[in-house]
């Protein structure tokens, strides 16, 4: 059965859960944040971009894709004969070329000021570690974020004032999931 009281209580006590959504057991909690696709600003997709994001001099999507490679060796734990060489493999993969611009947006639906401040805090934390995707250890996935600033003060104040209640609610969730 769906426990509406629990859902409302969790939304009230843990604003980040309310914004981003979650699944707790069989309880689905829809997030209030909607996230659009990140659309590359390329010649082929100009019609899908809002007027302020269009660029008539855009490169094509093919000009914004590049290749990279890495190598993988099996010599860490493999047993080989004395005269047998280690096997090495080249792995090729496509990357988005550095400098490619994307149009992207977040939309908050029916959020109060604390929930709105949650997104502000999330973008602050993202700017501290601005990566998407994999292979960040070899220099891939770093992004420059250019979103409007959202003040996170109300959320941070909420966490300070209601610290014990939030921790208690999270502990209760952990117990439910065991």
């Amino acid at each position: 059965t769906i426990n509406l009281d629990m859902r409302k209580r969790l939304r009230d006590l843990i604003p980040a859960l309310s914004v981003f959504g979650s699944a707790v057991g069989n309880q689905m909690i829809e997030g209030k944040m909607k996230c659009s696709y990140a659309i590359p600003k390329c010649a082929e997709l100009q019609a899908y971009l809002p007027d302020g994001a269009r660029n008539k001099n855009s490169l094509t999507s093919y000009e914004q894709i590049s290749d990279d490679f890495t190598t993988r060796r099996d010599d860490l734990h493999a047993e080989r004969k004395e005269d047998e060489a280690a096997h090495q493999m080249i792995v090729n993969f496509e990357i988005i070329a550095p400098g490619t611009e994307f149009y992207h947006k977040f939309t908050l639906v029916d959020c109060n000021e604390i929930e709105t401040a949650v997104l502000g805090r999330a973008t602050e934390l993202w700017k501290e570690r601005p990566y998407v995707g994999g292979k960040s250890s070899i220099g891939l996935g770093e992004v420059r974020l250019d979103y409007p600033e959202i003040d996170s003060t109300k959320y941070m104040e909420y966490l300070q004032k209601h610290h014990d209640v939030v921790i208690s609610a999270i502990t209760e969730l952990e117990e439910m999931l065991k």
Side-chain angles (χ1 to χ4, degrees), residues 116-129:
T116 299
V118 166
L119 183 57
R121 182 62 180 146
T123 54
E124 288 170 2
L125 292 171
W126 192 11
K127 285 179 181 181
E128 289 176 18
R129 293 188 184 143

Side-chain angles (χ1 to χ4, degrees), residues 38-42 49 53 55 64 96-103 144:
I39 301 172
K41 292 183 177 181
C42 60
L49 299 170
N55 180 355
Q64 295 181 22
I96 303 294
T100 299
E101 290 186 38
F102 289 83
Y103 172 78
R144 187 188 78 205

Side-chain angles (χ1 to χ4, degrees), residues 30-102:
E30 182 182 4
K32 293 183 175 185
M33 182 186 80
K34 307 304 177 204
C35 184
S36 73
Y37 284 111
I39 301 172
K41 292 183 177 181
C42 60
E44 298 92 332
L45 298 175
Q46 291 297 303
Y48 295 96
L49 299 170
D51 289 338
R54 292 182 184 165
N55 180 355
K56 292 183 182 190
N57 298 321
S58 287
L59 299 172
T60 68
S61 60
Y62 298 104
E63 295 170 311
Q64 295 181 22
I65 294 174
S66 185
D67 291 312
D68 205 343
F69 73 95
T70 187
T71 58
R72 179 173 179 233
R73 289 192 275 175
D74 71 348
D75 61 351
L76 296 176
H77 303 289
E79 292 184 25
R80 287 185 301 282
K81 295 178 185 171
E82 204 171 294
D83 61 341
E84 184 181 5
H87 295 281
Q88 192 168 5
M89 180 172 75
I90 295 175
V91 179
N92 293 303
F93 50 93
E94 278 187 338
I95 62 170
I96 303 294
T100 299
E101 290 186 38
F102 289 83

Side-chain angles (χ1 to χ4, degrees), residues 107-123:
T107 303
L108 296 175
V109 179
D110 299 326
C111 285
N112 61 37
E113 60 185 10
I114 294 171
E115 291 167 333
T116 299
V118 166
L119 183 57
R121 182 62 180 146
T123 54

